[in-house]
Amino acid sequence: FSQGWDKLREETFARQKALGVIPQDAELTARGEGIPAWDDMPDELKPILERQMEIYAGFLEHTDVQLGKMIDTLYALEVLDDTLIYYIIGDNGASAEGTLQGTFNEYIVINGLNHLETSEFLMENIDKFGGPEAYNHFAVGWAHAMDTPYQWTKQVASHWGGTRNATIVHWPKGIESKGEIRSQFFHVIDVAGTVLEAAGLPEPTFVNGIQQKPYEGFSMLESFDNAGAPETHSTQYFEMFCNRGIYHQGWTACTKHRTPWQIGVVELPDIDDDVWEMYSPDDWSQANNLAAEMPDKLRELQRLWLIEAVKYNVLPLDDRLAERFNPDLAGRPQLIQGQRQMLFGGMGRLSEYAILALKNKSYAVTAEVTVPEGGAEGVIVAQGGITGGWSIYAKAGKPTYCYNFLGLEHYFVAGEKPLPPGQHQVRMEFAYDGGGIGKGGTVSLYVDGSQVGQGRVDQTEPFLFSADETLDVGSDDASATSPDYTPKSSRFNGEVNWVEIDIDEAAEDLDHLITDDERYRVAMGRQ
């Protein structure tokens, strides 16, 4: 990929026309505002940029091989010809969340702290990209190239670059046509209805006694063997972070409100000041904006977008980004209510939104453990992984706390003595500094109510530890939050009987112990 993303975009466009997957008169759209040219990138950064795209290409090949194994198995079972397969290539367009230079850890960007990741840092870690220590993401320019021939990228739901994906449908016994292109407009919500019709199944009206909402999509089945089949899905709205678009009978109107890689404190225009564009049915790549030439048609499409937005509960619009990952800041309901949560030994793979929100506040985590005769070792409870999180564990028998700040810094607090054999309460109290989000705090460790250690965490993650790492009791699965252990060595060698998480006022406890009566009240309050 040393030719860079601009040249790659031209090469891709030429291949698309040669394959016939785009019209011969389609135009290659111009580079969007803020997307840098390859030639404008610093020469010293280009080895990193090339590496990012090599990793993406390698993983795409890896994914293709795994899909091939599934296809081979269906063939061996002699059911391949009667299996309807959808292969949708993409995720709302290629992602531009990796900043202009790419990132070693995407959660640095999601938390709005990409200023911490310097070019020097990226160069120092070039050999770790694509490995178990990285959560890397390619640069914006590569995303734009992957969305050839369109404008923009994932998150920009206004334009085809943020919504349209190549799709292959395979069903030999159900489709007589072979190797043909279909151009009717369809949406991912049409897949379910197509599968039901293909299988001869009715749409469910009741499931377990609960009445179901009618499907909102349309079946694609008629188009499989009829290239001229009428378009059934004639109108579709799009919206993401206030990037908005509407498709109606071939026409598209769209407005880009927010840029994906601009996260953190960003000054955004008023929604009413967003500039709308409009493209005709014969403009396959949305290359020629007709908004100024046809204002009446544009107003018609804008009104239709608003009608659809009301119909499908898109309003009110909310253009916040990182804040929406944090339920406290977003102001939305969350799964766990109140200030206390009880967990038990063996529980694990609990997503971030299945746990009380601990960010930007004071909290306490208390665990009752049974230590074996040989001494304690391993994780008592941990949340997160290499991208960030916290862990309470025993190292050489001593209770230890680690806060992982985005993989860039690890803060440790350890007890002075090993835990003796028998049953004990291990407690960590985090006293948040306050004064805004992402601030630090003081960590205090207790064993059976007596303080055994204290230390500082200078900064915390304000919004999100991870999208796929979890909270685990008695281990730290997936990737390790602390460098003191590995996922395989993380399992606690004793018993973790229960863990209680307390936030805000509930975290204040003068004796730093949780009695059986207190646990009983928490348990009964959850019934």
Side-chain angles (χ1 to χ4, degrees), residues 295-352:
D296 291 343
K297 184 65 177 179
L298 176 62
R299 280 192 291 271
E300 174 192 328
L301 293 171
Q302 288 173 303
R303 180 175 180 272
L304 183 57
W305 184 90
L306 194 59
I307 290 171
E308 293 292 297
V310 171
K311 181 179 179 181
Y312 294 111
N313 302 307
V314 179
L315 303 181
L317 293 172
D318 185 350
D319 63 2
R320 294 173 298 170
L321 184 58
E323 297 90 338
R324 289 169 67 173
F325 290 112
N326 186 309
D328 291 335
L329 300 174
R332 69 167 181 269
Q334 56 193 42
L335 182 63
I336 304 300
Q337 299 295 312
Q339 296 184 330
R340 288 188 167 91
Q341 182 176 11
M342 184 71 73
L343 305 171
F344 296 93
M347 296 179 73
R349 307 306 294 156
L350 300 173
S351 73
E352 205 153 323

Side-chain angles (χ1 to χ4, degrees), residues 195-495:
V195 170
L196 287 179
E197 185 178 358
L201 296 173
E203 181 181 327
T205 54
F206 284 86
V207 175
N208 295 328
I210 299 172
Q211 188 170 358
Q212 303 296 293
K213 285 182 61 180
Y215 281 16
E216 294 161 352
F218 300 84
S219 174
M220 307 180 192
L221 207 63
E222 186 180 354
S223 70
F224 286 174
D225 279 322
N226 183 4
E231 193 163 274
T232 53
H233 197 142
S234 59
T235 303
Q236 178 63 49
Y237 83 90
F238 299 92
E239 187 274 335
M240 187 173 186
F241 301 121
C242 297
N243 294 324
R244 315 186 294 287
I246 184 82
Y247 172 90
H248 181 64
Q249 297 177 353
W251 290 87
T252 57
C254 48
T255 181
K256 188 185 79 69
H257 177 76
R258 174 184 269 283
T259 302
W261 56 91
Q262 294 178 354
I263 301 175
V265 181
V266 180
E267 187 173 345
L268 297 169
D270 290 338
I271 291 173
D272 287 341
D273 292 337
D274 287 339
V275 177
W276 283 75
E277 305 163 18
M278 186 178 69
Y279 301 97
S280 68
D282 59 356
D283 187 357
W284 198 84
S285 58
Q286 297 179 321
N288 298 292
N289 180 14
L290 301 177
E293 300 174 35
M294 305 178 68
D296 291 343
K297 184 65 177 179
L298 176 62
R299 280 192 291 271
E300 174 192 328
L301 293 171
Q302 288 173 303
R303 180 175 180 272
L304 183 57
W305 184 90
L306 194 59
I307 290 171
E308 293 292 297
V310 171
K311 181 179 179 181
Y312 294 111
N313 302 307
V314 179
L315 303 181
L317 293 172
D318 185 350
D319 63 2
R320 294 173 298 170
L321 184 58
E323 297 90 338
R324 289 169 67 173
F325 290 112
N326 186 309
D328 291 335
L329 300 174
R332 69 167 181 269
Q334 56 193 42
L335 182 63
I336 304 300
Q337 299 295 312
Q339 296 184 330
R340 288 188 167 91
Q341 182 176 11
M342 184 71 73
L343 305 171
F344 296 93
M347 296 179 73
R349 307 306 294 156
L350 300 173
S351 73
E352 205 153 323
Y353 298 120
I355 301 299
L356 283 172
L358 305 182
K359 299 176 185 68
N360 312 309
K361 66 184 67 170
S362 296
Y363 62 93
V365 180
T366 308
E368 182 185 88
V369 299
T370 302
V371 177
E373 287 298 326
E377 198 71 36
V379 172
I380 297 170
V381 59
Q383 182 179 32
I386 58 168
T387 59
W390 55 270
S391 178
I392 300 172
Y393 54 100
K395 180 184 179 183
K398 298 178 181 179
T400 306
Y401 170 82
C402 172
Y403 188 92
N404 178 351
F405 178 72
L406 294 164
L408 300 175
E409 190 77 46
H410 292 82
Y411 300 95
F412 298 93
V413 180
E416 300 167 355
K417 299 178 181 178
L419 292 165
Q423 187 170 290
H424 303 281
Q425 275 192 29
V426 177
R427 180 178 174 91
M428 184 281 300
E429 295 181 1
F430 185 86
Y432 189 61
D433 290 343
I437 62 174
K439 304 301 181 181
T442 300
V443 175
S444 300
L445 282 180
Y446 299 87
V447 173
D448 298 330
S450 299
Q451 185 170 320
V452 297
Q454 191 172 75
R456 284 284 303 168
V457 172
D458 294 333
Q459 51 197 342
T460 58
E461 298 185 27
F463 301 127
L464 190 68
F465 290 135
S466 172
D468 46 18
E469 297 278 3
T470 57
L471 182 142
D472 302 296
V473 178
S475 64
D476 189 359
D477 296 330
S479 66
T481 308
S482 169
D484 281 342
Y485 54 81
T486 67
K488 288 185 178 181
S489 69
S490 69
R491 191 160 297 280
F492 190 63
N493 65 343
E495 296 291 333

Side-chain angles (χ1 to χ4, degrees), residues 55-109:
I55 292 164
Y56 174 84
F59 194 80
L60 190 62
E61 175 70 11
H62 166 79
T63 303
D64 200 47
V65 169
Q66 308 318 307
L67 289 171
K69 292 177 181 178
M70 182 187 73
I71 299 297
D72 290 344
T73 301
L74 293 173
Y75 178 80
L77 293 170
E78 299 182 351
V79 295
L80 177 61
D81 286 353
D82 200 28
T83 302
L84 173 58
I85 297 173
Y86 272 88
Y87 187 22
I88 302 174
I89 307 166
D91 175 15
N92 304 311
S95 173
E97 296 160 9
T99 79
L100 301 181
Q101 65 178 10
T103 177
F104 184 71
N105 175 2
E106 184 180 357
Y107 290 92
I108 295 174
V109 180

